[in-house]
mmCIF file of all heavy atoms in Angstrom:
data_model
loop_
_atom_site.group_PDB
_atom_site.id
_atom_site.type_symbol
_atom_site.label_atom_id
_atom_site.label_comp_id
_atom_site.label_asym_id
_atom_site.label_seq_id
_atom_site.Cartn_x
_atom_site.Cartn_y
_atom_site.Cartn_z
ATOM 1 N N SER U 188 21.825 36.531 72.279
ATOM 2 C CA SER U 188 21.141 35.628 73.336
ATOM 3 C C SER U 188 22.101 35.283 74.352
ATOM 4 O O SER U 188 21.780 35.246 75.546
ATOM 5 C CB SER U 188 20.462 34.436 72.716
ATOM 6 O OG SER U 188 19.620 34.787 71.661
ATOM 7 N N ILE U 189 23.359 34.901 73.975
ATOM 8 C CA ILE U 189 24.365 34.348 74.875
ATOM 9 C C ILE U 189 25.669 35.082 74.681
ATOM 10 O O ILE U 189 26.152 35.018 73.470
ATOM 11 C CB ILE U 189 24.451 32.791 74.686
ATOM 12 C CG1 ILE U 189 23.093 32.080 74.947
ATOM 13 C CG2 ILE U 189 25.460 32.250 75.646
ATOM 14 C CD1 ILE U 189 23.133 30.695 74.537
ATOM 15 N N ASP U 190 26.386 35.408 75.666
ATOM 16 C CA ASP U 190 27.831 35.953 75.651
ATOM 17 C C ASP U 190 28.773 34.741 75.727
ATOM 18 O O ASP U 190 28.904 34.212 76.781
ATOM 19 C CB ASP U 190 27.992 36.931 76.711
ATOM 20 C CG ASP U 190 29.367 37.629 76.421
ATOM 21 O OD1 ASP U 190 30.206 37.146 75.660
ATOM 22 O OD2 ASP U 190 29.650 38.637 77.123
ATOM 23 N N ARG U 193 31.437 34.453 78.268
ATOM 24 C CA ARG U 193 31.139 34.337 79.725
ATOM 25 C C ARG U 193 30.192 33.096 79.956
ATOM 26 O O ARG U 193 29.115 33.183 80.656
ATOM 27 C CB ARG U 193 30.491 35.647 80.165
ATOM 28 C CG ARG U 193 31.374 36.883 80.030
ATOM 29 C CD ARG U 193 30.740 38.083 80.620
ATOM 30 N NE ARG U 193 31.630 39.253 80.592
ATOM 31 C CZ ARG U 193 31.431 40.438 81.033
ATOM 32 N NH1 ARG U 193 30.230 40.672 81.691
ATOM 33 N NH2 ARG U 193 32.356 41.361 80.892
ATOM 34 N N LEU U 194 30.514 31.985 79.357
ATOM 35 C CA LEU U 194 29.786 30.900 79.590
ATOM 36 C C LEU U 194 30.085 30.275 81.002
ATOM 37 O O LEU U 194 31.039 30.566 81.571
ATOM 38 C CB LEU U 194 30.103 29.759 78.578
ATOM 39 C CG LEU U 194 29.676 30.024 77.071
ATOM 40 C CD1 LEU U 194 30.192 28.919 76.135
ATOM 41 C CD2 LEU U 194 28.225 30.210 76.926
ATOM 42 N N GLN U 195 29.125 29.482 81.549
ATOM 43 C CA GLN U 195 29.253 28.946 82.928
ATOM 44 C C GLN U 195 29.556 27.488 82.833
ATOM 45 O O GLN U 195 29.115 26.785 81.917
ATOM 46 C CB GLN U 195 28.026 29.218 83.642
ATOM 47 C CG GLN U 195 27.458 30.634 83.721
ATOM 48 C CD GLN U 195 28.409 31.505 84.550
ATOM 49 O OE1 GLN U 195 28.780 31.114 85.578
ATOM 50 N NE2 GLN U 195 28.877 32.692 83.949
ATOM 51 N N ASP U 198 27.039 24.655 81.602
ATOM 52 C CA ASP U 198 26.171 24.966 80.552
ATOM 53 C C ASP U 198 26.333 23.879 79.631
ATOM 54 O O ASP U 198 27.367 23.274 79.439
ATOM 55 C CB ASP U 198 26.660 26.303 79.927
ATOM 56 C CG ASP U 198 26.159 27.556 80.696
ATOM 57 O OD1 ASP U 198 25.528 27.433 81.657
ATOM 58 O OD2 ASP U 198 26.640 28.636 80.296
ATOM 59 N N HIS U 199 25.270 23.553 78.823
ATOM 60 C CA HIS U 199 25.420 22.416 77.866
ATOM 61 C C HIS U 199 24.647 22.707 76.571
ATOM 62 O O HIS U 199 23.712 23.579 76.579
ATOM 63 C CB HIS U 199 24.970 21.091 78.477
ATOM 64 C CG HIS U 199 23.565 21.124 79.081
ATOM 65 N ND1 HIS U 199 23.456 21.391 80.456
ATOM 66 C CD2 HIS U 199 22.386 20.927 78.625
ATOM 67 C CE1 HIS U 199 22.105 21.382 80.684
ATOM 68 N NE2 HIS U 199 21.482 21.018 79.613
ATOM 69 N N PHE U 225 20.772 25.347 73.441
ATOM 70 C CA PHE U 225 21.865 25.780 74.303
ATOM 71 C C PHE U 225 21.226 26.069 75.661
ATOM 72 O O PHE U 225 20.270 26.852 75.758
ATOM 73 C CB PHE U 225 22.616 26.890 73.773
ATOM 74 C CG PHE U 225 24.048 27.028 74.232
ATOM 75 C CD1 PHE U 225 25.129 26.837 73.380
ATOM 76 C CD2 PHE U 225 24.461 27.236 75.509
ATOM 77 C CE1 PHE U 225 26.355 26.788 73.752
ATOM 78 C CE2 PHE U 225 25.721 27.384 76.018
ATOM 79 C CZ PHE U 225 26.711 27.083 75.058
ATOM 80 N N GLU U 226 21.645 25.445 76.678
ATOM 81 C CA GLU U 226 21.154 25.747 78.046
ATOM 82 C C GLU U 226 22.202 26.528 78.822
ATOM 83 O O GLU U 226 23.299 26.034 79.184
ATOM 84 C CB GLU U 226 20.740 24.509 78.759
ATOM 85 C CG GLU U 226 19.997 24.777 80.069
ATOM 86 C CD GLU U 226 19.373 23.606 80.702
ATOM 87 O OE1 GLU U 226 18.681 22.912 79.963
ATOM 88 O OE2 GLU U 226 19.502 23.310 81.919
ATOM 89 N N HIS U 227 21.945 27.851 79.020
ATOM 90 C CA HIS U 227 22.938 28.748 79.651
ATOM 91 C C HIS U 227 22.233 29.340 80.897
ATOM 92 O O HIS U 227 21.144 29.900 80.822
ATOM 93 C CB HIS U 227 23.162 29.855 78.665
ATOM 94 C CG HIS U 227 24.119 30.997 79.157
ATOM 95 N ND1 HIS U 227 25.266 30.784 79.767
ATOM 96 C CD2 HIS U 227 23.894 32.302 79.162
ATOM 97 C CE1 HIS U 227 25.769 31.880 80.059
ATOM 98 N NE2 HIS U 227 24.949 32.823 79.781
ATOM 99 N N LYS U 228 22.925 29.085 82.028
ATOM 100 C CA LYS U 228 22.398 29.523 83.307
ATOM 101 C C LYS U 228 21.092 29.034 83.551
ATOM 102 O O LYS U 228 20.144 29.722 84.046
ATOM 103 C CB LYS U 228 22.439 31.069 83.399
ATOM 104 C CG LYS U 228 23.828 31.755 83.215
ATOM 105 C CD LYS U 228 23.742 33.262 83.380
ATOM 106 C CE LYS U 228 25.159 33.903 83.327
ATOM 107 N NZ LYS U 228 25.060 35.435 83.431
ATOM 108 N N SER U 229 20.902 27.802 83.235
ATOM 109 C CA SER U 229 19.659 27.025 83.336
ATOM 110 C C SER U 229 18.438 27.538 82.455
ATOM 111 O O SER U 229 17.360 27.028 82.665
ATOM 112 C CB SER U 229 19.138 27.000 84.860
ATOM 113 O OG SER U 229 20.156 26.376 85.699
ATOM 114 N N GLU U 230 18.751 28.381 81.533
ATOM 115 C CA GLU U 230 17.747 28.942 80.624
ATOM 116 C C GLU U 230 17.900 28.267 79.231
ATOM 117 O O GLU U 230 19.022 28.274 78.744
ATOM 118 C CB GLU U 230 17.798 30.442 80.562
ATOM 119 C CG GLU U 230 16.684 31.071 79.653
ATOM 120 C CD GLU U 230 16.689 32.536 79.645
ATOM 121 O OE1 GLU U 230 17.585 33.124 80.260
ATOM 122 O OE2 GLU U 230 15.969 33.081 78.827
ATOM 123 N N PRO U 231 16.892 27.662 78.698
ATOM 124 C CA PRO U 231 17.034 26.985 77.342
ATOM 125 C C PRO U 231 16.949 28.027 76.110
ATOM 126 O O PRO U 231 16.140 28.959 76.223
ATOM 127 C CB PRO U 231 15.816 26.066 77.311
ATOM 128 C CG PRO U 231 14.836 26.710 78.171
ATOM 129 C CD PRO U 231 15.476 27.521 79.195
ATOM 130 N N PHE U 232 17.700 27.816 75.114
ATOM 131 C CA PHE U 232 17.732 28.626 73.921
ATOM 132 C C PHE U 232 17.757 27.712 72.724
ATOM 133 O O PHE U 232 18.671 26.989 72.468
ATOM 134 C CB PHE U 232 18.890 29.499 73.928
ATOM 135 C CG PHE U 232 19.023 30.634 74.943
ATOM 136 C CD1 PHE U 232 19.648 30.329 76.195
ATOM 137 C CD2 PHE U 232 18.474 31.888 74.778
ATOM 138 C CE1 PHE U 232 19.680 31.248 77.199
ATOM 139 C CE2 PHE U 232 18.535 32.789 75.832
ATOM 140 C CZ PHE U 232 19.154 32.477 77.057
#
Side-chain angles (χ1 to χ4, degrees):
S188 306
I189 302 170
D190 186 347
R193 298 184 177 184
L194 295 177
Q195 304 294 311
D198 283 354
H199 51 267
F225 211 109
E226 191 165 309
H227 175 55
K228 296 181 180 179
S229 300
E230 184 179 354
F232 296 88

